[in-house]
Amino acid sequence: MKRKSCITGKVVDLLFPNKGIVETPEGNAHVKGVIPGQTISFIVKKNRADHAEGRLKEVIERSPMETAEPCPRFGICGGCSYQTLPYKIQTELKAKQIKKLLVDVFVRFENAADEDWFEGIIESPCENEYRNKMEFSFGNEVIDGPLELGMHKAGRFNDVVTVDKCRIVDEDFRKILKSSLEYFKSRNLPFYRRSNGEGYLRHLLVRKGTNTGEIITDIVTSSAIDFDFGEYTELLKNLDLKGKLVGVLHSIGDSSGDAVDGSDTEILYGRDYFYDELLGLRFKITAFSFFQTNTPGAELLYKKAREYALTGDDGAERGIIYDLYSGTGTIAQMMAAVAKKVVGIEIVEEAVEAAKINAKLNGLENTEFISGDVLKCLDEVKEKPDLIIMDPPRAGAAPKALAKILDYGVERIVYISCKASSLAFDLEAILKAGYKVEKVCCVDMFPSTANVETVCLLSKLHEAKHHINVKVDMDELDLTSAEAKATYKEIEEWVQEHYGFHVTNLNIAQVKQKHGIIERENYNKPKSENRRQPGCPEEKVKAIEGALRYFQMI
């Protein structure tokens, strides 16, 4: 297929994550954001050995499966992709994609999984109004258009559409959004433009305790204007909400990226945290700490993880449990009742402090939470694990960390994944280390979207005929093989999409070299011996490292 040409075809199947296989007279193509049965047009981006890759241009004919009525912003807002499908079909599509993804790994290994390994998908208790957290953005839908507050337009990171009828949040979120937009429109305050660093309004964060009704909001701005939020605070306090507003915050962030860490946050009213309850435990949650966005769904997810962790339970204590990538310690606290001790390791210091507070809040004395990188912190823990539960970030576990985890040789590992392709990648190393997959179950935490959580139970094989134990020294591997996973252009585009600024090939090469990925000489060295090479700014280092983790290169 000719690059940049417009092609018409029919979607015949899906690959994870929601990438459609499109049949055309000129061959097959892969296109994201489509549904089987649709006739579409797409723009060819690149050609692979056996297929082309394209960007969706238009849905010419809807799929026969699309019988549900979407919200008014469906197709414009980039938030939901399955909203035209009945919920049962949504979950069937997700389960089918995950099963195929993992089978493609299993076929390369002998005895990789039990015959009845796949348990299907658990549906979310709530199909609509399930989210307990939203971060709305300020902007405009068209150049010089009126102020908008909502989500980024599909495929247009700089454009924003107001989502005041959004179905995946409840009426309290919608009321706060609408009243905030009307107020700031009336004050003629400019929104922040990342292209030139000018403007003021950036985001509105809203969080709500599903089981307590407590709500906090955080208005995020730049430091360009000294604005008095007293009137706005009173406006929010007087809204007729089902829940209870317990805190109004104002955070300042001048970074060109969207990330706000709360280091410059002022309490305008009440407190900077709220409480929610999960599986009989109580949690104190701050504006920026992690907590699953679908509380009823999270209860099902953690129940399944606990079920897997207790497989073969004879009533005996589980001994020492490691909760790796532990976040605010939800899993650790859930497992504390059946363990001698639970050790949680998490790189985000604020989350670790929250975990300690929550453990104390719930009267748990057999938990320990350590702040730092999993790879480094494992060496600091004296007690060896009897069971490991891991819930790594979207990019999966770093290869060296995974190798160290597998070296413990525990009987069982429970792996929770928010991105199944990362689980599939990590399974290569796990299966080679002498484990097999006992059970896999999907849990739908995100109705109307293509996202899904996956829980995997792994057990150690013992019969020599079934496996060969291999200890891998990651320092002896040729890490330059990571270069094959993403081009410089793909890394540059990822950073632009997620952080909103441009990085050069030199920036990327410097960060890759920092992580031991050997580069071509012309990228690493100045052309003249006496010429100084500019360093890569710390902000860009973090963004590029994020891309390298996403593409499984570090």
Side-chain angles (χ1 to χ4, degrees):
M1 297 182 194
K2 188 177 179 181
R3 191 169 172 269
K4 295 186 178 180
S5 62
C6 182
I7 307 290
T8 299
K10 185 142 190 163
V11 184
V12 295
D13 205 351
L14 286 179
L15 300 173
F16 186 86
N18 199 38
K19 185 179 288 188
I21 300 175
V22 185
E23 287 186 349
T24 82
E26 299 181 46
N28 284 357
H30 293 176
V31 180
K32 286 186 177 180
V34 295
I35 292 170
Q38 289 178 337
T39 300
I40 66 166
S41 62
F42 62 92
I43 305 298
V44 179
K45 292 166 55 179
K46 62 181 73 173
N47 285 290
R48 302 289 189 186
D50 59 348
H51 68 274
E53 291 192 2
R55 173 177 55 82
L56 177 65
K57 181 182 179 185
E58 181 186 4
V59 176
I60 298 171
E61 185 178 340
R62 290 177 60 165
S63 167
M65 293 189 294
E66 295 183 88
T67 58
E69 189 64 32
C71 84
R73 288 298 197 175
F74 177 78
I76 302 171
C77 160
C80 298
S81 50
Y82 282 179
Q83 209 170 53
T84 56
L85 297 172
Y87 185 53
K88 190 71 176 176
I89 293 178
Q90 292 182 31
T91 55
E92 288 173 355
L93 286 177
K94 293 180 186 186
K96 181 181 178 183
Q97 289 177 68
I98 301 301
K99 186 175 183 179
K100 184 182 187 311
L101 177 73
L102 299 184
V103 166
D104 287 345
V105 177
F106 297 165
V107 295
R108 300 194 292 275
F109 295 87
E110 182 183 357
N111 199 33
D114 287 347
E115 287 187 12
D116 57 348
W117 65 274
F118 191 63
E119 294 190 317
I121 187 167
I122 298 173
E123 295 183 354
S124 170
C126 309
E127 181 182 342
N128 295 308
E129 300 189 349
Y130 61 85
R131 285 193 66 94
N132 58 35
K133 174 186 176 182
M134 286 294 281
E135 186 173 308
F136 301 112
S137 296
F138 287 96
N140 56 14
E141 187 172 355
V142 295
I143 296 175
D144 296 327
L147 183 68
E148 306 277 353
L149 177 58
M151 305 296 291
H152 290 288
K153 201 171 182 179
R156 305 279 297 183
F157 196 71
N158 292 322
D159 300 338
V160 172
V161 294
T162 297
V163 289
D164 53 1
K165 293 182 174 60
C166 180
R167 293 182 182 175
I168 61 175
V169 296
D170 71 21
E171 185 60 26
D172 285 350
F173 285 78
R174 295 189 286 267
K175 283 183 178 179
I176 292 170
L177 182 151
K178 284 187 281 190
S179 60
S180 298
L181 178 57
E182 290 170 4
Y183 176 80
F184 290 117
K185 269 185 176 180
S186 71
R187 295 301 177 271
N188 293 316
L189 290 171
F191 68 88
Y192 180 84
R193 298 176 186 270
R194 289 183 304 168
S195 58
N196 58 16
E198 297 178 356
Y200 186 58
L201 299 170
R202 301 198 65 166
H203 308 289
L204 173 64
L205 174 68
V206 184
R207 303 194 69 166
K208 182 176 182 179
T210 302
N211 292 317
T212 62
E214 293 190 348
I215 300 169
I216 63 170
T217 70
D218 187 9
I219 182 73
V220 182
T221 71
S222 72
S223 60
I225 299 172
D226 184 13
F227 184 77
D228 183 355
F229 285 96
E231 190 178 40
Y232 173 66
T233 301
E234 290 302 313
L235 170 71
L236 295 183
K237 287 167 62 178
N238 291 320
L239 288 176
D240 181 18
L241 303 175
K242 293 180 180 178
K244 179 183 179 183
L245 185 69
V246 298
V248 179
L249 315 177
H250 172 218
S251 293
I252 295 176
D254 287 318
S255 166
S256 57
D258 278 340
V260 178
D261 60 10
S263 58
D264 191 356
T265 297
E266 174 190 7
I267 300 176
L268 302 175
Y269 163 73
R271 41 185 160 90
D272 61 353
Y273 61 89
F274 66 102
Y275 290 102
D276 204 0
E277 296 169 355
L278 188 69
L279 292 174
L281 299 171
R282 190 168 174 85
F283 293 90
K284 178 182 177 181
I285 305 161
T286 65
F288 301 101
S289 60
F290 174 78
F291 196 74
Q292 289 285 358
T293 56
N294 179 342
T295 306
E299 293 193 335
L300 298 180
L301 174 71
Y302 293 143
K303 281 180 180 177
K304 178 55 68 172
R306 183 166 60 187
E307 175 193 321
Y308 282 179
L310 298 178
T311 295
D313 185 17
D314 54 4
E317 188 181 73
R318 273 295 179 260
I320 306 298
I321 298 177
Y322 281 6
D323 177 14
L324 305 181
Y325 313 94
S326 56
T328 53
T330 312
I331 295 172
Q333 294 177 67
M334 176 188 69
M335 296 302 300
V338 295
K340 178 181 179 182
K341 182 179 180 180
V342 185
V343 179
I345 301 177
E346 166 60 45
I347 198 168
V348 180
E349 188 172 348
E350 184 194 13
V352 172
E353 292 307 310
K356 292 176 181 178
I357 291 170
N358 289 326
K360 187 175 181 180
L361 188 67
N362 290 303
L364 302 175
E365 297 180 352
N366 62 335
T367 59
E368 178 186 2
F369 297 99
I370 301 170
S371 175
D373 181 75
V374 166
L375 174 64
K376 296 176 182 178
C377 290
L378 284 174
D379 292 332
E380 301 173 10
V381 184
K382 294 180 181 179
E383 304 100 328
K384 299 307 177 189
D386 299 295
L387 169 72
I388 293 175
I389 302 175
M390 53 190 292
D391 187 3
R394 288 181 63 79
K400 288 186 179 182
L402 183 59
K404 187 169 286 190
I405 291 166
L406 296 174
D407 276 348
Y408 287 113
V410 297
E411 288 296 313
R412 285 189 170 86
I413 297 173
V414 178
Y415 189 127
I416 303 171
S417 174
C418 60
K419 186 181 179 188
S421 54
S422 297
L423 168 63
F425 183 87
D426 286 349
L427 276 176
E428 298 267 356
I430 294 171
L431 295 175
K432 285 177 182 176
Y435 284 86
K436 72 170 182 177
V437 173
E438 276 196 48
K439 298 288 182 184
V440 171
C441 185
C442 302
V443 182
D444 187 24
M445 302 273 287
F446 317 102
S448 296
T449 78
N451 301 318
V452 65
E453 294 271 346
T454 307
V455 190
C456 179
L457 172 62
L458 299 140
S459 61
K460 189 75 172 171
L461 289 165
H462 292 287
E463 295 181 49
K465 66 180 180 180
H466 283 155
H467 73 286
I468 301 174
N469 280 324
V470 179
K471 183 169 182 176
V472 181
D473 184 349
M474 297 302 294
D475 291 325
E476 295 178 2
L477 292 180
D478 177 14
L479 293 181
T480 58
S481 63
E483 288 195 65
K485 295 183 181 178
T487 65
Y488 276 71
K489 183 68 174 174
E490 288 170 331
I491 294 170
E492 177 190 325
E493 289 175 350
W494 190 93
V495 171
Q496 181 69 50
E497 178 182 349
H498 290 80
Y499 285 84
F501 51 72
H502 173 72
V503 293
T504 66
N505 284 353
L506 176 60
N507 295 149
I508 297 170
Q510 289 170 327
V511 177
K512 290 174 77 175
Q513 185 183 44
K514 170 186 172 184
H515 288 276
I517 304 173
I518 300 170
E519 290 296 324
R520 294 188 292 270
E521 186 172 326
N522 64 310
Y523 277 162
N524 280 331
K525 296 181 179 179
K527 295 178 182 178
S528 167
E529 287 186 12
N530 297 321
R531 183 181 172 190
R532 291 186 63 189
Q533 186 181 43
C536 184
E538 186 61 28
E539 184 180 52
K540 293 188 176 183
V541 170
K542 290 181 179 179
I544 294 167
E545 287 177 337
L548 297 181
R549 291 189 186 94
Y550 175 79
F551 290 113
Q552 297 286 347
M553 297 172 74
I554 59 174

